Amino acid sequence: MCLSQNIDKTYVIYSGNAFAPFEYLDEKTNTYVGLDMNHLAAIAED
């Protein structure tokens, strides 16, 4: 049996942005990018 609930989730992430390619600040877009950010985005989709 699968019950589905519409639950809002908030993730608070602390990450150092000095470890490219894992995480770094893209100065052109002013957003954090990298492997860690990709993994966190995939977890948040679930």
Side-chain angles (χ1 to χ4, degrees):
M1 180 176 183
C2 179
L3 299 176
S4 178
Q5 295 180 357
N6 190 8
I7 299 173
D8 291 331
K9 295 180 183 179
T10 300
Y11 295 93
V12 178
I13 307 298
Y14 174 81
S15 181
N17 63 352
F19 302 106
F22 299 103
E23 60 222 8
Y24 60 96
L25 179 62
D26 182 339
E27 294 181 4
K28 292 180 183 177
T29 63
N30 200 36
T31 58
Y32 292 103
V33 294
L35 298 173
D36 289 349
M37 300 303 121
N38 293 344
H39 290 136
L40 293 169
I43 291 168
E45 284 182 6
D46 189 22

